Structure formats: C-alpha cells, structure tokens
Amino acid sequence: MPGIVLRSDDNFDASYRRFKKQTDRNLIVTEARARRFHETETEKRKKFKIASRKKMLKRLYMMRRYESRL
C-alpha cells in the first residue's frame, strides 16, 4: 500500500505529487478502474490484442527512427 512520510519542510503539492507517483507505480488506480465493472473474457482478449498491436507499432516506430539516424 502506498504511503508517504511527511517532512516538516514539505508543502502539500510536493507531497501529493510523491503520493501520486507511488500509486502510479503500484497500478492501484488502473486496477481499481478495471475492477469497477465486470469484464468478459472477450473484452479482455480484445484489450490485450489492442495493447500488443500498440506495443508492436511503437517498437517499429522506434526502430525506424533509430535507423534513420544511422
């Protein structure tokens, strides 16, 4: 569970920013959104396919970008 220790010299904005970073790293918000509504297996597969295609396209883009520099 994320939690931060407040120091005497911390202001609210800095503390809130640190807390948000911890929750993002632990995927708490993402998991809560995912569990909010029931997802069927078909929807899960569809999301997985979309995510994998997005990853592949990103890798391809980065590879082409790297090759253009050579």
Side-chain angles (χ1 to χ4, degrees):
M1 196 68 186
I4 59 169
V5 178
L6 293 176
R7 296 181 215 128
S8 62
D9 60 337
D10 278 348
N11 63 354
F12 177 77
D13 292 330
S15 304
Y16 182 64
R17 200 174 311 120
R18 279 196 350 240
F19 180 74
K20 275 178 47 173
K21 276 186 185 179
Q22 281 190 2
T23 55
D24 287 344
R25 269 190 237 125
N26 293 335
L27 300 175
I28 291 174
V29 176
T30 309
E31 187 177 338
R33 284 186 185 144
R35 290 175 183 241
R36 190 171 181 187
F37 301 105
H38 176 70
E39 246 180 14
T40 61
E41 282 298 317
T42 309
E43 290 172 341
K44 288 180 186 177
R45 278 193 302 258
K46 187 177 178 182
K47 280 187 179 182
F48 181 75
K49 270 185 157 180
I50 290 170
S52 61
R53 184 170 190 273
K54 191 175 178 181
K55 279 183 194 175
M56 183 186 66
L57 289 174
K58 184 178 179 182
R59 282 192 195 135
L60 186 63
Y61 169 75
M62 295 302 281
M63 193 169 58
R64 286 184 179 163
R65 188 171 158 206
Y66 175 74
E67 288 175 351
S68 69
R69 291 182 180 176
L70 297 177

